[in-house]
PDB file of all heavy atoms in Angstrom:
ATOM      1  N   TRP A 210     -15.766  10.451 -19.820  1.00  0.00           N
ATOM      2  CA  TRP A 210     -15.133  11.600 -20.408  1.00  0.00           C
ATOM      3  C   TRP A 210     -14.217  11.265 -21.555  1.00  0.00           C
ATOM      4  O   TRP A 210     -13.193  10.609 -21.273  1.00  0.00           O
ATOM      5  CB  TRP A 210     -14.441  12.275 -19.346  1.00  0.00           C
ATOM      6  CG  TRP A 210     -15.265  12.771 -18.194  1.00  0.00           C
ATOM      7  CD1 TRP A 210     -16.331  13.807 -18.337  1.00  0.00           C
ATOM      8  CD2 TRP A 210     -15.171  12.576 -16.867  1.00  0.00           C
ATOM      9  NE1 TRP A 210     -16.851  14.073 -17.078  1.00  0.00           N
ATOM     10  CE2 TRP A 210     -16.193  13.277 -16.167  1.00  0.00           C
ATOM     11  CE3 TRP A 210     -14.261  11.725 -16.045  1.00  0.00           C
ATOM     12  CZ2 TRP A 210     -16.358  13.189 -14.824  1.00  0.00           C
ATOM     13  CZ3 TRP A 210     -14.489  11.754 -14.682  1.00  0.00           C
ATOM     14  CH2 TRP A 210     -15.506  12.382 -14.084  1.00  0.00           C
ATOM     15  N   GLU A 211     -14.652  11.490 -22.747  1.00  0.00           N
ATOM     16  CA  GLU A 211     -13.834  11.125 -23.852  1.00  0.00           C
ATOM     17  C   GLU A 211     -12.380  11.773 -23.819  1.00  0.00           C
ATOM     18  O   GLU A 211     -11.321  11.080 -24.199  1.00  0.00           O
ATOM     19  CB  GLU A 211     -14.507  11.577 -25.208  1.00  0.00           C
ATOM     20  CG  GLU A 211     -13.953  10.825 -26.465  1.00  0.00           C
ATOM     21  CD  GLU A 211     -14.450   9.423 -26.534  1.00  0.00           C
ATOM     22  OE1 GLU A 211     -15.582   9.215 -26.262  1.00  0.00           O
ATOM     23  OE2 GLU A 211     -13.646   8.594 -26.980  1.00  0.00           O
ATOM     24  N   SER A 212     -12.243  12.922 -23.458  1.00  0.00           N
ATOM     25  CA  SER A 212     -10.928  13.711 -23.471  1.00  0.00           C
ATOM     26  C   SER A 212     -10.037  12.955 -22.458  1.00  0.00           C
ATOM     27  O   SER A 212      -8.824  12.948 -22.635  1.00  0.00           O
ATOM     28  CB  SER A 212     -11.096  15.181 -23.054  1.00  0.00           C
ATOM     29  OG  SER A 212     -11.734  15.258 -21.851  1.00  0.00           O
ATOM     30  N   ASP A 213     -10.541  12.439 -21.353  1.00  0.00           N
ATOM     31  CA  ASP A 213      -9.736  11.850 -20.358  1.00  0.00           C
ATOM     32  C   ASP A 213      -9.745  10.291 -20.391  1.00  0.00           C
ATOM     33  O   ASP A 213      -8.945   9.754 -19.626  1.00  0.00           O
ATOM     34  CB  ASP A 213     -10.192  12.192 -18.968  1.00  0.00           C
ATOM     35  CG  ASP A 213     -10.162  13.707 -18.755  1.00  0.00           C
ATOM     36  OD1 ASP A 213      -9.115  14.354 -19.117  1.00  0.00           O
ATOM     37  OD2 ASP A 213     -11.034  14.334 -18.025  1.00  0.00           O
ATOM     38  N   LYS A 214     -10.530   9.829 -21.412  1.00  0.00           N
ATOM     39  CA  LYS A 214     -10.725   8.379 -21.369  1.00  0.00           C
ATOM     40  C   LYS A 214     -10.876   7.693 -20.078  1.00  0.00           C
ATOM     41  O   LYS A 214     -10.259   6.702 -19.632  1.00  0.00           O
ATOM     42  CB  LYS A 214      -9.511   7.712 -22.157  1.00  0.00           C
ATOM     43  CG  LYS A 214      -9.296   8.330 -23.580  1.00  0.00           C
ATOM     44  CD  LYS A 214      -8.085   7.612 -24.177  1.00  0.00           C
ATOM     45  CE  LYS A 214      -7.974   8.133 -25.727  1.00  0.00           C
ATOM     46  NZ  LYS A 214      -6.791   7.565 -26.465  1.00  0.00           N
ATOM     47  N   SER A 215     -11.891   8.290 -19.248  1.00  0.00           N
ATOM     48  CA  SER A 215     -12.079   7.798 -17.988  1.00  0.00           C
ATOM     49  C   SER A 215     -13.558   8.045 -17.599  1.00  0.00           C
ATOM     50  O   SER A 215     -14.398   8.661 -18.260  1.00  0.00           O
ATOM     51  CB  SER A 215     -11.146   8.560 -17.054  1.00  0.00           C
ATOM     52  OG  SER A 215     -11.241   7.952 -15.750  1.00  0.00           O
ATOM     53  N   SER A 216     -13.868   7.588 -16.361  1.00  0.00           N
ATOM     54  CA  SER A 216     -15.270   7.768 -15.789  1.00  0.00           C
ATOM     55  C   SER A 216     -15.116   8.102 -14.364  1.00  0.00           C
ATOM     56  O   SER A 216     -14.110   7.717 -13.727  1.00  0.00           O
ATOM     57  CB  SER A 216     -16.101   6.547 -16.064  1.00  0.00           C
ATOM     58  OG  SER A 216     -15.737   5.564 -15.270  1.00  0.00           O
ATOM     59  N   PRO A 217     -16.140   8.665 -13.811  1.00  0.00           N
ATOM     60  CA  PRO A 217     -16.081   8.942 -12.339  1.00  0.00           C
ATOM     61  C   PRO A 217     -15.864   7.580 -11.494  1.00  0.00           C
ATOM     62  O   PRO A 217     -15.064   7.548 -10.472  1.00  0.00           O
ATOM     63  CB  PRO A 217     -17.477   9.496 -12.051  1.00  0.00           C
ATOM     64  CG  PRO A 217     -17.827  10.191 -13.161  1.00  0.00           C
ATOM     65  CD  PRO A 217     -17.358   9.222 -14.300  1.00  0.00           C
ATOM     66  N   THR A 218     -16.533   6.518 -11.925  1.00  0.00           N
ATOM     67  CA  THR A 218     -16.279   5.225 -11.084  1.00  0.00           C
ATOM     68  C   THR A 218     -14.839   4.759 -11.322  1.00  0.00           C
ATOM     69  O   THR A 218     -14.361   4.235 -10.166  1.00  0.00           O
ATOM     70  CB  THR A 218     -17.326   4.170 -11.590  1.00  0.00           C
ATOM     71  OG1 THR A 218     -18.730   4.755 -11.667  1.00  0.00           O
ATOM     72  CG2 THR A 218     -17.248   2.906 -10.819  1.00  0.00           C
ATOM     73  N   TYR A 219     -14.346   4.920 -12.377  1.00  0.00           N
ATOM     74  CA  TYR A 219     -12.973   4.456 -12.627  1.00  0.00           C
ATOM     75  C   TYR A 219     -11.926   5.353 -11.782  1.00  0.00           C
ATOM     76  O   TYR A 219     -11.030   4.793 -11.118  1.00  0.00           O
ATOM     77  CB  TYR A 219     -12.558   4.513 -14.054  1.00  0.00           C
ATOM     78  CG  TYR A 219     -11.214   4.107 -14.319  1.00  0.00           C
ATOM     79  CD1 TYR A 219     -10.892   2.633 -14.286  1.00  0.00           C
ATOM     80  CD2 TYR A 219     -10.107   4.871 -14.603  1.00  0.00           C
ATOM     81  CE1 TYR A 219      -9.636   2.064 -14.611  1.00  0.00           C
ATOM     82  CE2 TYR A 219      -8.872   4.437 -14.756  1.00  0.00           C
ATOM     83  CZ  TYR A 219      -8.531   3.022 -14.775  1.00  0.00           C
ATOM     84  OH  TYR A 219      -7.351   2.495 -15.033  1.00  0.00           O
ATOM     85  N   LEU A 220     -12.343   6.651 -11.666  1.00  0.00           N
ATOM     86  CA  LEU A 220     -11.297   7.545 -10.966  1.00  0.00           C
ATOM     87  C   LEU A 220     -11.511   7.142  -9.441  1.00  0.00           C
ATOM     88  O   LEU A 220     -10.472   7.256  -8.690  1.00  0.00           O
ATOM     89  CB  LEU A 220     -11.731   8.951 -11.197  1.00  0.00           C
ATOM     90  CG  LEU A 220     -11.374   9.535 -12.538  1.00  0.00           C
ATOM     91  CD1 LEU A 220     -11.668  11.006 -12.608  1.00  0.00           C
ATOM     92  CD2 LEU A 220      -9.821   9.254 -12.890  1.00  0.00           C
ATOM     93  N   GLU A 221     -12.782   6.804  -9.045  1.00  0.00           N
ATOM     94  CA  GLU A 221     -13.036   6.358  -7.582  1.00  0.00           C
ATOM     95  C   GLU A 221     -12.014   5.051  -7.383  1.00  0.00           C
ATOM     96  O   GLU A 221     -11.363   4.894  -6.309  1.00  0.00           O
ATOM     97  CB  GLU A 221     -14.374   6.116  -7.342  1.00  0.00           C
ATOM     98  CG  GLU A 221     -15.035   7.434  -7.342  1.00  0.00           C
ATOM     99  CD  GLU A 221     -16.668   7.183  -7.327  1.00  0.00           C
ATOM    100  OE1 GLU A 221     -17.089   6.087  -7.495  1.00  0.00           O
ATOM    101  OE2 GLU A 221     -17.429   8.242  -7.394  1.00  0.00           O
ATOM    102  N   PHE A 222     -12.157   4.219  -8.288  1.00  0.00           N
ATOM    103  CA  PHE A 222     -11.423   2.848  -8.145  1.00  0.00           C
ATOM    104  C   PHE A 222      -9.901   3.154  -8.106  1.00  0.00           C
ATOM    105  O   PHE A 222      -9.146   2.635  -7.116  1.00  0.00           O
ATOM    106  CB  PHE A 222     -11.720   2.002  -9.258  1.00  0.00           C
ATOM    107  CG  PHE A 222     -10.769   0.831  -9.378  1.00  0.00           C
ATOM    108  CD1 PHE A 222     -10.775  -0.205  -8.507  1.00  0.00           C
ATOM    109  CD2 PHE A 222     -10.017   0.817 -10.411  1.00  0.00           C
ATOM    110  CE1 PHE A 222      -9.915  -1.373  -8.685  1.00  0.00           C
ATOM    111  CE2 PHE A 222      -8.988  -0.337 -10.642  1.00  0.00           C
ATOM    112  CZ  PHE A 222      -9.053  -1.292  -9.705  1.00  0.00           C
ATOM    113  N   ARG A 223      -9.421   3.987  -8.866  1.00  0.00           N
ATOM    114  CA  ARG A 223      -7.946   4.234  -8.916  1.00  0.00           C
ATOM    115  C   ARG A 223      -7.516   5.056  -7.655  1.00  0.00           C
ATOM    116  O   ARG A 223      -6.447   4.675  -6.924  1.00  0.00           O
ATOM    117  CB  ARG A 223      -7.597   5.172  -9.983  1.00  0.00           C
ATOM    118  CG  ARG A 223      -7.645   4.608 -11.430  1.00  0.00           C
ATOM    119  CD  ARG A 223      -6.733   3.385 -11.551  1.00  0.00           C
ATOM    120  NE  ARG A 223      -5.289   3.692 -11.302  1.00  0.00           N
ATOM    121  CZ  ARG A 223      -4.445   4.312 -12.269  1.00  0.00           C
ATOM    122  NH1 ARG A 223      -4.879   4.082 -13.527  1.00  0.00           N
ATOM    123  NH2 ARG A 223      -3.230   4.656 -12.035  1.00  0.00           N
ATOM    124  N   LYS A 224      -8.338   5.804  -7.070  1.00  0.00           N
ATOM    125  CA  LYS A 224      -8.191   6.492  -5.755  1.00  0.00           C
ATOM    126  C   LYS A 224      -8.036   5.400  -4.738  1.00  0.00           C
ATOM    127  O   LYS A 224      -7.135   5.474  -3.780  1.00  0.00           O
ATOM    128  CB  LYS A 224      -9.258   7.544  -5.467  1.00  0.00           C
ATOM    129  CG  LYS A 224      -9.015   8.273  -4.064  1.00  0.00           C
ATOM    130  CD  LYS A 224      -7.662   8.891  -3.956  1.00  0.00           C
ATOM    131  CE  LYS A 224      -7.604  10.241  -4.709  1.00  0.00           C
ATOM    132  NZ  LYS A 224      -6.453  10.992  -4.289  1.00  0.00           N
ATOM    133  N   ALA A 225      -8.901   4.469  -4.664  1.00  0.00           N
ATOM    134  CA  ALA A 225      -8.926   3.344  -3.670  1.00  0.00           C
ATOM    135  C   ALA A 225      -7.704   2.629  -3.770  1.00  0.00           C
ATOM    136  O   ALA A 225      -7.085   2.247  -2.789  1.00  0.00           O
ATOM    137  CB  ALA A 225     -10.232   2.517  -4.012  1.00  0.00           C
ATOM    138  N   ILE A 226      -7.208   2.386  -5.016  1.00  0.00           N
ATOM    139  CA  ILE A 226      -5.980   1.606  -5.306  1.00  0.00           C
ATOM    140  C   ILE A 226      -4.850   2.399  -4.598  1.00  0.00           C
ATOM    141  O   ILE A 226      -3.999   1.921  -3.854  1.00  0.00           O
ATOM    142  CB  ILE A 226      -5.700   1.263  -6.662  1.00  0.00           C
ATOM    143  CG1 ILE A 226      -6.696   0.326  -7.240  1.00  0.00           C
ATOM    144  CG2 ILE A 226      -4.276   0.972  -6.861  1.00  0.00           C
ATOM    145  CD1 ILE A 226      -6.512  -1.138  -6.716  1.00  0.00           C
ATOM    146  N   ASP A 227      -4.710   3.713  -4.993  1.00  0.00           N
ATOM    147  CA  ASP A 227      -3.647   4.559  -4.492  1.00  0.00           C
ATOM    148  C   ASP A 227      -3.671   4.692  -3.008  1.00  0.00           C
ATOM    149  O   ASP A 227      -2.582   4.757  -2.389  1.00  0.00           O
ATOM    150  CB  ASP A 227      -3.774   5.980  -5.139  1.00  0.00           C
ATOM    151  CG  ASP A 227      -3.612   6.041  -6.551  1.00  0.00           C
ATOM    152  OD1 ASP A 227      -2.960   5.088  -7.162  1.00  0.00           O
ATOM    153  OD2 ASP A 227      -3.932   6.870  -7.304  1.00  0.00           O
TER     154      ASP A 227
END
Side-chain angles (χ1 to χ4, degrees):
W210 296 305
E211 197 72 45
S212 59
D213 297 321
K214 298 183 180 181
S215 189
S216 72
T218 308
Y219 184 74
L220 292 184
E221 291 166 356
F222 166 72
R223 288 299 299 269
K224 175 62 74 171
I226 290 291
D227 292 343

